[in-house]
Amino acid sequence: MEKKADIIPILEGIVEQNTVSYRSDFQYDVQRLTAAMLEPSQEDRTFLWMSRPHGTWLFLERETFLRETPAFITWTYGDYVAEDDQIKACRVTVSPGRAGGFVLGKIQPLNYGEQVERVKRLALSVQTVALRFEDGITVTLPYEEYSDQFRALVSAHGKAEHIRYQPENEGELSALLYMERHPPKQRSRRPRKPTPR
């Protein structure tokens, strides 16, 4: 589905058909997708979403391609092997919008099994973590120090309002995501007709 559409009812329809329990997970997805309309960067408006028999997941696509993130770990967890044929996965790109408006965007269906193999093969390592806290302070830490210092930073500066995982080379991640979103077109294998002389 490449045309811009009102994405919430479309995803809700998938949940109704495919998700038996924990359907309330979808309300968190709706909140995140709605908030994403106000994000200036497309990277903060492009998600991978999955409906499975027992709930839904929604992650920023860039984070699924960073190995140490909760997004990567959850998206690739056990590959959901037992449910693979019951997973409906897609890329959701939210268009910029205004508060209170419809959440417009594009939904691109994905083959979860193939896509998760690409994620596992291509994902990059996290080098640093940038955090913005309630009091306005921004801190960037090496990934190895992030877990040890997080609680102390929250005590000193309040809730972490934004966490951004960063690879060593942001350009490499951008190129990887571009190729993921714009795969090369398959050439037809039919032989060409000879040109008349």
Side-chain angles (χ1 to χ4, degrees):
M1 190 172 307
E2 284 301 316
K3 287 197 298 188
K4 237 188 245 190
D6 185 0
I7 61 178
I8 302 301
I10 295 168
L11 297 177
E12 191 170 36
I14 296 170
V15 169
E16 286 175 11
Q17 289 180 343
N18 196 60
T19 301
V20 179
S21 57
Y22 301 103
R23 285 185 177 180
S24 59
D25 287 359
F26 183 62
Q27 293 315 307
Y28 297 107
D29 303 344
V30 171
Q31 290 171 11
R32 283 193 73 196
L33 294 168
T34 302
M37 292 192 304
L38 306 177
E39 293 290 344
S41 166
Q42 183 176 334
E43 291 306 314
D44 294 324
R45 291 185 279 108
T46 305
F47 298 88
L48 294 182
W49 180 80
M50 139 188 341
S51 160
R52 46 195 225 294
H54 307 291
T56 64
W57 288 116
L58 177 75
F59 298 110
L60 284 173
E61 184 176 37
R62 80 180 299 281
E63 290 186 4
T64 63
F65 280 91
L66 292 170
R67 282 193 192 284
E68 294 79 7
T69 64
F72 173 87
I73 293 163
T74 304
W75 190 260
T76 61
Y77 174 73
D79 305 337
Y80 297 101
V81 173
E83 306 176 355
D84 193 41
D85 62 335
Q86 299 171 326
I87 289 177
K88 304 295 181 210
C90 56
R91 175 178 297 111
V92 179
T93 305
V94 177
S95 298
R98 63 183 193 291
F102 290 109
V103 183
L104 300 177
K106 295 180 182 175
I107 297 174
Q108 178 186 2
L110 300 170
N111 177 311
Y112 172 74
E114 292 173 8
Q115 197 274 347
V116 80
E117 286 303 316
R118 286 194 306 277
V119 169
K120 290 193 304 185
R121 188 175 72 250
L122 300 172
L124 305 174
S125 290
V126 174
Q127 294 299 309
T128 58
V129 183
L131 303 118
R132 188 180 69 237
F133 294 94
E134 253 177 335
D135 65 1
I137 294 290
T138 300
V139 176
T140 300
L141 299 168
Y143 177 74
E144 298 76 34
E145 297 175 20
Y146 163 64
S147 293
D148 293 338
Q149 295 192 28
F150 186 75
R151 286 179 194 246
L153 287 166
V154 169
S155 293
H157 303 290
K159 179 182 167 192
E161 294 187 331
H162 186 73
I163 300 173
R164 185 170 181 87
Y165 300 93
Q166 300 167 322
E168 182 177 354
N169 183 335
E170 195 70 41
E172 188 178 355
L173 178 60
S174 294
L176 188 163
L177 293 171
Y178 181 86
M179 291 304 293
E180 185 69 13
R181 295 170 192 164
H182 305 91
K185 300 250 189 282
Q186 293 279 332
R187 286 191 166 173
S188 171
R189 296 184 183 230
R190 284 188 278 168
R192 286 185 169 176
K193 292 181 182 178
T195 52
R197 294 183 180 204

